[in-house]
């Protein structure tokens, strides 16, 4: 799913969920169609809606759990959805407990088999108050209705770590494969920090299983458990040692486990450890879509100022080596995290890519920013920390302009950062780039830079004011012709272009409808006039209930470079020249 | 209709505009014009003199003193240029000293000709002057104001049986739709078809038709000027010259009175076209140096519109420049030194405008149509004749580089398509389309030859490699006139001429130059064109530009470039000179 599609889906779900009565539709429709554990946009959207007070999710879920008419499928999906959304919810423990209990009390094919108890266990671990009693009830329910070994062992270890760890170690040798695999998994989930000896033994066992596991499943589960345990505080040396020993080709499950190691160990902020992880991650075959998603989640969790460039290099290499199979936007969690939470790191990463990455990565990096409003993405790049050699500053600026001209404000912010860092000798060249091609092509960039002037240093102000004045003169002259009707296209030409525009709009609308995930699950009605609708339905007490549905307008705009119209071949030539320029030696 | 004409007469701004209208007008009344207006020359107060029958049926001599617009007090008296001084000169000197002997016995009428009205504040003075002078000398006076001239137009040149209702309707529609130049031009084109007789019609009929076309074109031009949109009259005047030429063609070498009058009539049309071209240049020139200003003036968000309009503009100015070169040569031969200077200045304005326009509108480096080869040749011929060799060389090099680059990256490369709808969709990014869109080319061999003349062998080599490696499917060709071209060149009534192909495109370009030289020596169709025999070679270029035909390779021979590329004049300056 592209970021754009994710955003659309998010908006649609918010819109649906705002009524809460449609929760079942969310569960059965959007969520079932686009399930992606833990990082699904539906989960985020509904969690966000709950936390901001737009909806009250828990009664809605409780209603599904308590609905005698609800099908098993609905219950399964709702439980799975609840498990996924639970870590993101802001709610008091008792309310959560009530809903979990409601699900696990269902007889037969119940929610316990779909991840709800483990999710609750995680909730309990994070909770300041230990709801032991509730956990005991849930454990009992799970056991009563055929619960999972893994969960049982993990939950048991929550109360008596040593005892249950020993039991799990014993079960890893079971001839029943399911029992053995589940036990390995449970070992990873146990908090054995209070019993270091047992923890060490567990780590050694898991490492052994990774190296000598009988099959891909065992190796994968062992690696996952090892990573989980490491992430929870066990000594990272064992995991590092195991990772270094991994050799291609890895089994499919092992690759998934390896991809998950990143986020399982997200708490370990050790640069060398993370570099080793990234080196091991090169064994992953990224042509498998699910693996990219797993890896992406991990990368988004571990990115920080120290390792962002290393991660950038890893991603760039992966994209460059994939032919055309892997696009940068597939790392949507990483990019989203950087865009929304750490824009200064994204700026740094972009500059790093412009400086070092292959053309395909630069192209994709330049295209990934969507500028829906003026300053959606502006960057203050710390060029000083990048230690560029002579000539590289202007070189980077040209690359930024060549690849990011469609997001001119973002490009302007990076070039402005370069101007701040430029020496007296470098400044004129950078300022010239701000004038041409940046200001010549973009009024948004010009407006942004004009707004920035007051907060810049005197030397930067001087350089900016000079190019702004030039740009002003250029624009004034450019518009000075006014109405010279001899120059205008003929009426025939205008009619042809109008028809082409209409046809393009129709095609865009068709494509938007075809790609809308939401359009597939709801019927469409066309409103001819007004900005909302009113409908009546049967009320709870037999009367008619009036429902209103206001509509919102969505729009997006993009500024095309002026030269796209005034000199398209010249613009392409400039871009080509800048893009093919070699890095100064 | 009368209102239309009255407004037109009142709008004639310049003195020589009214001057140009009157001879045609009185000629159509059956009068004989024996003294025509000439720039800077007034014969003792007389701007024009004619002999003919007055309303009373008596044959008289009419001496015109012409004043555009309204006559105000300042125009009447108080300076040497004032009308009263002119009238005194006419009465006191011209009548006695300059009146041709054969008209000496005829009554003399002095016509005070004003485009608008005589101002009320000065009218009593004028009337008193006329009465006193008539009493004193016997010379009578007539006031020809805008209303009178409009009436004369209606009863003379545009009278009902000469300009029938259908033609009047087309004419009026053409004027009414000036803001939609395509429509206005189409109406005028239809009007031309109705007005211009066949070449077998009686000479008097032909002459009358040419004068009527001239008057109609004048009205159209003046109204267009008022509407601030010269597009329709520009195209209409170009077409009028072309369509009128076949009437003159049989008489290019004749010295008969009719032939002379016919040549005067076509000159009048041509002068009007050049005046319109000059007005057009006046509008473009102030913006030529401003970066992207003219491109922005196209007011379109589609680069194809800007591309087409900008090439159109520079093509028009280049052709105007070539006309000016032609006129200057004519004047030089007649040894009128003062006029040579005038043309030199005009030529300098034209070349500076073209160079500045190209420099400040870089879309002119990337032609979207293969037939922009016409503009390349027009500009090449004009600027190299003016000594701008370096500029043309750089421009040809840049066009080549941009066209090759555009083709390689699938941008707006030159295509054989000319229909706007096709150009709007260009380029479609499929191999089949690319092949079809570049199935033939006149542009590349044209660029190659120019590069060769200008000594740019790097560009010659680049084009030859591009043709061989990237567009081997393309039928590169040039165009030569055929034996039937004389018949069809001026009205484009039928496809004519021949493609010169295949062309030997080699790395040094020499083989192509030799082939072109051989063909231009062998093919005599260019030299036998009536316009060429009449020394009016720019008409060929006009036809090529108007009907989108490639410029015949004979112009390279004519310029002397084929035999000796070194004759291409050296640069007079590296930069755009100030005019």
């Amino acid at each position: 799913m592209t970021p754009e599609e994710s955003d659309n889906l998010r908006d649609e779900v918010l819109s649906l969920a705002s009524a809460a009565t449609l929760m079942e539709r969310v569960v059965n429709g959007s969520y079932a169609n686009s399930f992606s554990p833990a990082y699904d946009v539906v989960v985020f959207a509904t969690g966000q809606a709950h936390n901001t007070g737009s909806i009250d999710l828990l009664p809605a879920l409780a209603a599904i759990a308590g609905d005698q008419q609800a099908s098993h499928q609905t219950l399964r999906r709702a439980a799975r959805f609840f498990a996924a959304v639970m870590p993101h919810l802001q709610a008091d423990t008792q309310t959560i407990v009530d809903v979990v209990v409601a699900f696990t009390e269902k007889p037969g094919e119940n929610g316990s088999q779909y991840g709800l108890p483990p999710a609750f266990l995680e909730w309990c671990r994070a909770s300041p108050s230990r709801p032991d009693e509730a956990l005991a009830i849930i454990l009992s329910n799970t056991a009563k209705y055929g619960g999972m070994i893994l969960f049982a062992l993990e939950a048991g270890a929550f109360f008596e770590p040593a005892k249950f760890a020993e039991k799990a170690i014993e079960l890893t040798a079971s001839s029943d494969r399911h029992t053995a695999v589940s036990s390995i998994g449970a070992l990873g989930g146990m908090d054995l920090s209070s019993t270091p000896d047992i923890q060490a033994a567990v780590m050694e066992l898991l490492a052994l299983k990774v190296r000598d596991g009988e099959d891909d499943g065992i190796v994968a589960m062992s690696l996952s458990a090892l990573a989980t345990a490491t992430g929870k505080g066990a000594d990272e040396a064992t995991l590092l040692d195991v990772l270094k020993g991994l050799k291609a080709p890895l089994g499919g499950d092992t690759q998934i486990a390896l991809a998950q190691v990143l986020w399982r160990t997200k708490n370990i902020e050790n640069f060398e450890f993370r570099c080793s992880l990234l080196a091991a991650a090169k064994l992953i075959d990224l042509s498998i879509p699910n693996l990219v998603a797993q890896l992406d989640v991990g990368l988004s969790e571990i990115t920080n100022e120290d390792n962002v460039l290393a991660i950038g290099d890893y991603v760039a290499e992966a994209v460059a080596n994939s032919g055309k199979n892997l696009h940068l936007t597939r790392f949507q969690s990483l990019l989203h995290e950087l865009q929304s939470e750490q824009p200064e790191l994204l700026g740094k990463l972009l500059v790093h890519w412009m400086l070092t990455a292959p053309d395909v990565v630069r192209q994709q990096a330049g295209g990934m920013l969507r500028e829906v409003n003026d300053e959606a993405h502006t960057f203050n790049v710390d060029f000083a920390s990048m230690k560029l050699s002579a000539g590289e500053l202007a070189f980077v600026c040209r690359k930024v302009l060549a690849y990011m001209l469609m997001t001119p404000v973002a490009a302007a912010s990076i070039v402005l950062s370069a101007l701040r860092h430029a020496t007296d000798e470098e400044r004129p060249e950078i300022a010239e780039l701000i004038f041409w091609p940046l200001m010549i092509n973009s009024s948004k960039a010009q407006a942004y830079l004009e707004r920035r002037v007051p907060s810049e240093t005197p030397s930067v102000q001087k350089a900016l004011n000079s190019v702004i004045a030039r740009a002003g003169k250029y624009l004034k002259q450019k518009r000075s012709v006014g109405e010279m009707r001899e120059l205008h296209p003929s009426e025939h030409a205008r009619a042809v272009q109008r028809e082409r525009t209409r046809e393009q709009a129709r095609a865009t609308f068709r494509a938007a409808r075809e790609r809308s995930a939401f359009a597939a699950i709801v019927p469409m009605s066309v409103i001819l006039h007004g900005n909302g609708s009113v409908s009546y339905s049967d009320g709870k007490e037999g009367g008619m209930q009036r429902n209103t549905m206001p509509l919102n307008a969505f729009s997006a705009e993009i500024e095309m470079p002026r030269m796209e119209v005034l000199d398209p071949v010249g613009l392409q030539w400039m871009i080509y020249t800048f893009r093919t320029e070699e890095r100064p030696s | 209709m009368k209102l239309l004409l009255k407004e037109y007469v009142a709008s004639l701004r310049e003195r020589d505009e009214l001057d140009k209208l009157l001879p045609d007008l009185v000629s159509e009344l059956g009068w004989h014009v024996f003294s025509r207006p000439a720039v800077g020359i007034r014969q003792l107060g007389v701007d024009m003199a004619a002999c003919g029958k007055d309303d009373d049926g008596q044959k008289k001599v009419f001496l015109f003193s012409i004043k555009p617009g309204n006559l105000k007090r300042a125009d009447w008296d108080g300076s040497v240029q004032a009308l009263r001084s002119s009238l005194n000169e006419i009465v006191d000197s011209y009548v006695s000293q300059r009146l041709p002997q054969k008209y000496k016995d005829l009554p003399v009428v002095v016509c005070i000709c004003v485009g608008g009205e005589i101002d009320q504040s000065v009218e009593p003075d004028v009337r008193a002057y006329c009465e006193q002078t008539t009493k004193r000398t016997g010379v009578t006076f007539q006031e020809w104001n805008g209303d009178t001239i409009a009436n004369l137009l209606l009863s003379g040149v545009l009278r009902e049986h000469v300009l029938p209702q259908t033609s009047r309707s087309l004419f009026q529609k053409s004027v009414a739709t000036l803001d939609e130049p395509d429509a206005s031009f189409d109406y005028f084109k239809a009007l031309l078809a109705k007005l211009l007789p066949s070449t077998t019609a009686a000479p008097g009929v032909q002459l009358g038709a040419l004068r009527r076309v001239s008057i109609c074109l004048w009205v159209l031009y003046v109204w267009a000027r008022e509407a601030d949109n010269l597009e329709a009259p520009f195209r209409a005047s170009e077409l009028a010259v072309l369509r009128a030429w076949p009437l003159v063609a049989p008489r290019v070498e004749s010295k008969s009175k009719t032939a002379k009058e016919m040549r005067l009539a076509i000159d009048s049309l041509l002068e009007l076209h050049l005046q319109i071209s000059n007005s057009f240049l006046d509008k473009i020139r102030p913006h030529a140096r401003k970066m992207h200003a003219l491109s922005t003036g196209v007011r379109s968000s589609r680069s194809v519109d800007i591309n087409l309009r900008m090439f159109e503009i520079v093509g028009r100015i280049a052709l105007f420049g070539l006309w000016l070169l032609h006129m200057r040569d004519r004047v030089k031969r007649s040894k009128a030194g003062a006029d040579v200077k005038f043309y030199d200045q005009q030529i300098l304005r034209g070349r500076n405008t073209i160079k500045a326009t190209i420099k400040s509108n870089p879309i002119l480096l990337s032609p979207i149509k293969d037939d922009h080869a016409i503009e390349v040749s027009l500009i090449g011929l004009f600027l190299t004749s003016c000594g701008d060799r370096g500029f043309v060389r750089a421009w040809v090099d840049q066009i080549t580089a941009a066209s090759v680059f555009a083709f390689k990256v699938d941008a707006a490369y030159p295509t054989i398509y000319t229909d706007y709808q096709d150009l709007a969709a260009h380029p479609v990014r499929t191999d089949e389309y690319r092949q079809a869109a570049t199935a033939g080319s006149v542009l590349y061999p044209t660029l190659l030859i120019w590069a060769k003349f200008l000594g740019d062998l790097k560009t010659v080599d680049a084009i030859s490699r591009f043709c061989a490696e990237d567009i081997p499917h393309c039928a590169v060709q040039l165009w030569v006139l055929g034996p039937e071209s004389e018949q069809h060149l001026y009205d484009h009534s039928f496809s004519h001429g021949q493609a010169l192909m295949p062309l030997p495109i080699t790395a040094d370009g020499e083989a192509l130059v030799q082939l072109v030289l051989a063909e231009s020596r062998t093919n005599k169709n260019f030299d036998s064109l009536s316009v060429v025999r009449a020394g009016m070679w720019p008409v060929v270029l006009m036809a090529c530009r108007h009907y989108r035909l490639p410029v015949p390779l004979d112009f390279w021979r004519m310029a002397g470039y084929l035999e000796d590329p070194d004759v291409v004049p050296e640069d007079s300056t590296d930069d755009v000179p100030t005019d």
Side-chain angles (χ1 to χ4, degrees):
Chain A
M1 192 181 283
T2 66
E4 192 179 354
E5 288 166 340
S6 294
D7 279 0
N8 289 341
L9 187 55
R10 186 196 305 259
D11 291 338
E12 288 163 2
V13 168
L14 273 174
S15 165
L16 252 188
S18 65
T21 53
L22 296 173
M23 182 51 68
E24 198 169 318
R25 185 174 287 173
V26 172
V27 166
N28 275 328
S30 302
Y31 186 66
N33 285 338
S34 55
F35 177 70
S36 167
Y39 286 88
D40 187 80
V41 288
V42 178
V43 168
F44 277 126
T46 43
Q48 196 179 16
H50 175 88
N51 294 338
T52 56
S54 302
I55 58 172
D56 194 351
L57 188 60
L58 293 171
L61 286 167
I64 295 175
D67 183 358
Q68 299 303 318
Q69 308 298 320
S71 66
H72 289 311
Q73 189 185 45
T74 299
L75 284 170
R76 269 204 310 275
R77 286 175 176 171
R80 201 161 61 172
F81 172 75
F82 185 29
V85 79
M86 199 186 296
H88 306 289
L89 292 181
Q90 290 165 8
D92 66 85
T93 304
Q94 190 53 51
T95 312
I96 294 279
V97 166
D98 290 346
V99 183
V100 175
V101 168
F103 271 102
T104 57
E105 276 181 343
K106 299 286 284 185
E109 197 178 8
N110 62 49
S112 66
Q113 297 179 16
Y114 301 97
L116 195 50
F120 182 63
L121 186 57
E122 287 301 318
W123 173 275
C124 293
R125 285 179 173 147
S127 173
S129 58
R130 289 176 48 133
D132 291 357
E133 191 182 334
L135 189 61
I137 293 169
I138 293 164
L139 188 59
S140 161
N141 283 341
T142 307
K144 187 164 131 193
Y145 297 120
M148 297 176 290
I149 295 167
L150 189 149
F151 171 64
L153 289 172
E154 276 194 38
F158 189 58
F159 298 105
E160 298 175 78
K163 181 179 168 190
F164 280 86
E166 282 169 5
K167 181 66 181 171
I169 290 171
E170 182 191 326
L171 288 174
T172 58
S174 167
S175 56
D176 175 36
R177 191 176 179 285
H178 175 68
T179 302
V181 170
S182 296
S183 303
I184 292 169
L187 281 174
M190 291 176 184
D191 180 2
L192 301 174
S193 53
S194 58
T195 54
D197 292 345
I198 295 176
Q199 187 173 54
V202 166
M203 295 297 279
E204 198 171 323
L205 173 69
L206 293 175
L208 187 68
K209 292 278 181 191
V210 175
R211 290 192 194 100
D212 303 329
E214 302 89 89
D215 59 44
D216 184 36
I218 299 278
V219 173
M221 184 57 92
S222 304
L223 183 58
S224 290
L226 194 58
T228 306
T230 308
K232 285 177 179 172
D235 179 21
E236 60 217 44
T238 311
L239 177 59
L240 269 182
D241 203 35
V242 165
L243 291 175
K244 282 176 186 165
L246 288 177
K247 285 190 175 57
L250 299 178
D253 290 344
T254 305
Q255 289 193 54
I256 293 173
L258 179 55
Q260 291 174 340
V261 169
L262 289 169
W263 62 264
R264 289 184 194 280
T265 58
K266 64 184 178 185
N267 297 329
I268 303 172
E269 293 186 4
N270 177 323
F271 180 71
E272 284 179 19
F273 173 76
R274 287 193 172 161
C275 287
S276 300
L277 284 187
L278 291 173
K282 289 180 183 175
L283 297 172
I284 297 170
D285 177 4
L286 292 177
S287 63
I288 303 165
N290 188 39
L291 283 175
V292 181
Q294 298 285 347
L295 194 64
D296 172 40
V297 169
L299 292 174
S300 73
E301 293 282 359
I302 66 168
T303 305
N304 62 25
E305 192 169 357
D306 294 335
N307 61 27
V308 67
L309 299 187
I311 286 175
D313 287 340
Y314 170 78
V315 171
E317 190 180 330
V319 169
N321 291 341
S322 72
K324 288 184 177 173
N325 296 325
L326 182 60
H327 196 281
L328 208 52
T329 50
R330 294 279 300 284
F331 294 90
Q332 56 179 302
S333 299
L334 170 66
L335 298 175
H336 184 266
E337 167 72 15
L338 289 171
Q339 277 182 26
S340 57
E341 303 296 329
Q342 308 187 70
E344 70 287 356
L345 291 191
L346 180 57
K348 192 173 178 179
L349 182 57
L350 282 170
V351 169
H352 180 68
W353 276 336
M354 294 301 158
L355 192 66
T356 62
D359 178 66
V360 61
V361 178
R362 287 172 174 154
Q363 270 193 50
Q364 293 178 11
M368 74 188 183
L369 298 175
R370 290 169 303 137
E371 214 156 334
V372 289
N373 59 51
D374 262 3
E375 296 190 27
H377 306 294
T378 55
F379 306 102
N380 181 8
V381 181
D382 178 15
F383 276 96
S385 69
M386 301 187 81
K387 298 184 176 60
L388 301 182
S389 61
E392 284 189 333
L393 195 63
F395 169 81
V396 162
C397 290
R398 284 191 286 275
K399 292 291 180 198
V400 165
L401 292 169
Y403 290 99
M404 296 175 64
L405 207 55
M406 293 303 287
T407 50
V409 176
S413 67
I414 295 177
V415 180
L416 177 60
S417 301
L419 189 68
R420 289 187 196 114
H421 178 68
T423 61
D424 289 347
E425 289 74 35
E426 291 169 323
R427 201 171 294 120
E429 192 178 0
I430 310 284
E432 188 58 34
L433 289 170
I434 289 180
F435 176 69
W436 182 90
L438 197 52
M439 281 187 174
I440 289 282
N441 277 296
S442 166
S443 59
K444 279 187 173 181
Q446 183 172 350
Y448 165 76
L449 291 166
E450 282 171 357
R451 285 196 299 277
R452 290 297 315 166
V453 171
S455 42
E456 299 297 329
T457 61
S459 58
V460 173
Q461 276 186 350
K462 189 179 167 192
L464 273 184
N465 282 331
S466 168
V467 288
I468 287 169
R470 278 174 69 194
K473 187 179 171 194
Y474 161 75
L475 287 176
K476 192 178 166 193
Q477 288 203 337
K478 181 173 160 292
R479 293 169 185 147
S480 65
V481 171
E483 277 283 318
M484 196 188 292
R485 283 178 281 182
E486 291 87 345
L487 296 178
H488 294 184
S490 67
E491 191 47 44
H492 167 67
R494 290 203 189 278
V496 168
Q497 292 295 3
R498 274 197 296 273
E499 185 47 42
R500 283 176 57 78
T501 305
R502 272 198 292 271
E503 186 47 49
Q504 280 167 358
R506 281 194 288 266
T508 306
F509 187 69
R510 268 199 306 273
R513 293 253 344 254
E514 281 164 11
R515 292 181 194 174
S516 168
F518 197 52
I521 59 169
V522 293
M524 192 185 83
S525 299
V526 175
I527 292 176
L528 297 178
H529 306 285
N531 58 6
S533 68
V534 175
S535 61
Y536 282 87
S537 57
D538 292 337
K540 284 179 181 170
E541 292 160 9
M544 298 287 278
Q545 186 179 336
R546 188 173 189 272
N547 306 306
T548 59
M549 186 187 288
L551 295 180
N552 286 318
F554 289 89
S555 67
E557 62 173 313
I558 186 163
E559 184 186 28
M560 297 298 288
R562 287 194 191 102
M563 293 310 119
E564 187 64 36
V565 175
L566 297 176
D567 180 21
V569 175
L571 177 68
Q572 291 219 25
W573 177 259
M574 181 276 289
I575 289 173
Y576 172 79
T577 310
F578 282 8
R579 284 187 177 185
T580 52
E581 182 184 352
E582 294 286 328
R583 185 177 178 180
S585 54
Chain B
M1 184 75 169
K2 186 180 168 189
L3 190 65
L4 182 81
L5 295 172
K6 196 177 165 187
E7 286 280 320
Y8 149 67
V9 176
S11 305
L12 292 171
R13 285 182 197 158
E14 307 298 331
R15 186 176 161 279
D16 61 347
E17 290 185 356
L18 199 50
D19 290 355
K20 284 175 184 164
L21 166 69
L22 279 175
D24 282 343
L25 184 58
V26 299
S27 295
E28 273 302 288
L29 294 174
W31 297 3
H32 172 59
V33 180
F34 61 86
S35 174
R36 284 178 172 271
V39 179
I41 302 168
R42 291 182 91 197
Q43 296 196 354
L44 299 174
V46 173
D47 290 310
M48 187 185 87
C51 174
K53 281 185 181 171
D54 201 356
D55 290 345
D56 58 8
Q58 196 180 354
K59 196 173 180 186
K60 293 176 186 173
V61 170
F62 295 88
L63 304 175
F64 290 83
S65 184
I66 302 169
K67 166 79 184 69
N70 293 333
L71 182 73
K72 294 174 185 161
R73 177 153 295 283
D75 306 315
W76 165 243
D77 201 2
S79 71
V80 186
Q81 305 294 325
L83 183 60
R84 186 176 176 141
S85 305
S86 299
L87 297 180
N88 283 337
E89 272 190 297
I90 294 172
V91 174
D92 298 339
S93 307
Y94 187 93
V95 173
S96 57
Q97 297 169 25
R98 294 284 176 87
L99 201 60
Q101 191 62 37
K102 59 180 176 180
Y103 301 129
K104 287 268 188 193
D105 297 334
L106 294 176
V108 174
V109 179
V110 175
C111 298
I112 301 170
C113 185
V114 292
E117 305 285 342
I118 296 179
D119 206 274
Q120 282 187 345
S121 63
V122 77
E123 197 180 359
D125 294 352
V126 176
R127 198 179 303 124
Y129 170 85
C130 293
E131 283 170 7
Q132 285 166 14
T133 310
T134 302
K135 266 187 204 166
R136 182 168 60 85
T137 63
V139 171
T140 58
F141 290 84
Q142 284 183 10
E143 178 192 334
W144 284 38
N145 58 23
D147 199 52
T148 318
I149 298 170
N151 275 331
L152 287 171
L153 282 167
L154 275 175
S155 61
V157 184
L158 306 177
R159 63 189 179 275
E160 189 70 35
H161 73 275
V162 179
L163 194 68
Q165 189 54 43
T166 48
S167 300
R168 280 178 180 234
S169 170
L170 289 170
F171 174 51
Q172 284 169 314
K173 282 177 184 169
S174 182
V175 174
T177 55
L178 274 166
D179 265 345
E180 286 178 36
D182 281 354
S184 178
F185 174 72
D186 285 344
Y187 286 127
F188 201 88
K189 193 171 162 184
L191 176 69
L192 283 179
K194 284 214 175 286
L195 287 181
L196 291 173
S198 75
T199 50
T200 55
V205 173
Q206 294 185 14
L207 194 57
L210 289 181
R211 285 178 183 148
R212 276 186 292 282
V213 168
S214 182
I215 298 277
C216 290
L217 200 52
W218 263 106
V219 179
L220 187 74
Y221 165 51
V222 171
W223 273 86
R225 199 169 54 187
E226 291 301 305
D228 199 22
N229 189 349
L230 299 174
E231 183 64 15
F234 183 93
R235 289 162 62 189
S237 63
E238 205 168 54
L239 186 70
V241 172
L242 293 169
R243 291 283 168 92
W245 182 261
L247 301 181
V248 183
R251 301 177 180 88
V252 288
E253 276 134 10
S254 167
K255 290 182 178 169
S256 70
K257 187 183 166 198
T258 311
K260 277 183 189 169
E261 285 187 318
M262 292 287 273
R263 285 201 292 269
L264 271 178
I266 194 104
D267 274 352
S268 164
L269 274 178
L270 186 57
E271 276 176 34
L272 179 52
H273 171 68
L274 295 181
Q275 183 163 345
I276 296 171
S277 300
N278 194 46
S279 301
F280 184 73
L281 175 62
D282 282 343
K283 294 189 84 171
I284 298 295
R285 193 168 149 264
H287 307 289
R289 286 170 197 270
K290 299 171 191 168
M291 197 65 188
H292 298 136
L294 290 168
S295 297
T296 306
V298 176
R299 296 281 177 97
S300 171
S301 57
R302 311 287 175 163
S303 63
V304 61
D305 292 332
I306 295 168
N307 196 299
L308 296 177
R309 293 313 290 171
M310 294 312 296
F311 272 96
E312 173 77 21
I313 285 169
V314 288
R316 286 180 185 184
I317 299 173
L319 182 55
F320 179 49
L322 287 162
W323 269 113
L324 291 171
L325 287 173
H326 167 75
M327 305 291 266
R328 186 182 64 179
D329 287 349
R330 252 184 16 179
V331 170
K332 259 186 186 170
R333 281 197 295 274
S334 69
K335 294 178 181 166
D339 279 356
V340 170
K341 266 190 180 173
F342 166 78
Y343 283 115
D344 279 342
Q345 279 181 339
Q346 293 286 88
I347 289 164
L348 186 60
R349 285 170 77 233
R351 61 189 264 231
N352 283 352
T353 304
I354 292 179
K355 287 159 73 177
T357 304
I358 291 173
K359 279 187 173 180
S360 52
N361 296 277
I363 203 161
L364 286 168
L365 306 181
S366 43
I368 195 172
K369 289 197 296 176
D370 191 78
D371 79 10
H372 282 147
I374 300 165
E375 278 70 29
V376 170
S377 282
L378 291 176
I379 291 168
L381 286 170
F382 175 50
L383 290 186
T384 55
S385 300
C386 297
D388 291 321
R389 180 189 174 114
F391 183 89
V392 177
R393 177 183 158 132
W395 186 51
V396 166
D397 173 38
Q398 287 167 318
I399 289 183
T400 303
S403 301
V404 169
F405 173 75
F407 182 81
K408 289 187 173 177
V409 301
D410 232 348
Y413 52 85
T415 168
I416 57 168
Y417 299 126
T418 55
D419 184 80
Y420 184 81
Q421 238 160 344
D422 294 330
L423 292 170
H426 175 71
V428 176
R429 290 180 172 89
T430 65
D431 287 343
E432 294 78 11
Y433 176 87
R434 273 158 70 88
Q435 290 228 351
T438 52
S441 177
V442 174
L443 178 67
Y444 294 116
T446 302
L447 289 169
L448 187 146
I449 287 187
W450 275 110
K452 172 77 177 164
F453 289 160
L454 297 165
D456 184 359
L457 294 181
K458 201 172 127 230
T459 298
V460 171
D461 182 50
I463 296 171
S464 74
R465 274 190 288 113
F466 176 66
C467 290
E469 293 165 15
D470 296 289
I471 51 167
H473 57 276
C474 177
V476 286
Q477 56 199 283
L478 291 167
W479 184 74
V480 292
L481 292 151
E484 72 291 358
S485 291
E486 169 64 16
Q487 194 185 341
H488 302 297
L489 180 66
Y490 314 108
D491 62 1
H492 203 50
S493 51
F494 198 76
S495 185
H496 61 98
Q498 288 141 354
L500 178 64
M501 60 185 290
L503 301 179
I505 306 288
T506 54
D508 63 358
E510 192 54 39
L512 180 57
V513 171
Q514 290 310 318
L515 180 75
V516 168
L517 181 61
E519 172 61 15
S520 71
R521 280 177 177 160
T522 310
N523 187 334
K524 300 297 177 196
N525 294 313
F526 178 81
D527 295 329
S528 59
L529 286 175
S530 55
V531 277
V532 176
R533 282 187 285 118
M536 298 276 278
W537 53 265
V539 174
V540 181
L541 297 172
M542 193 184 230
C544 290
R545 208 200 71 78
H546 192 89
Y547 298 126
R548 308 309 295 166
L549 291 167
V551 171
L553 46 84
D554 306 84
F555 279 96
W556 289 320
R557 174 177 52 85
M558 220 172 86
Y561 300 165
L562 284 173
E563 286 85 351
D564 181 9
D566 289 340
V567 303
V568 181
E570 283 299 331
D571 261 351
S572 55
T573 172
D574 287 337
D575 201 3
V576 182
T578 314
D579 53 38

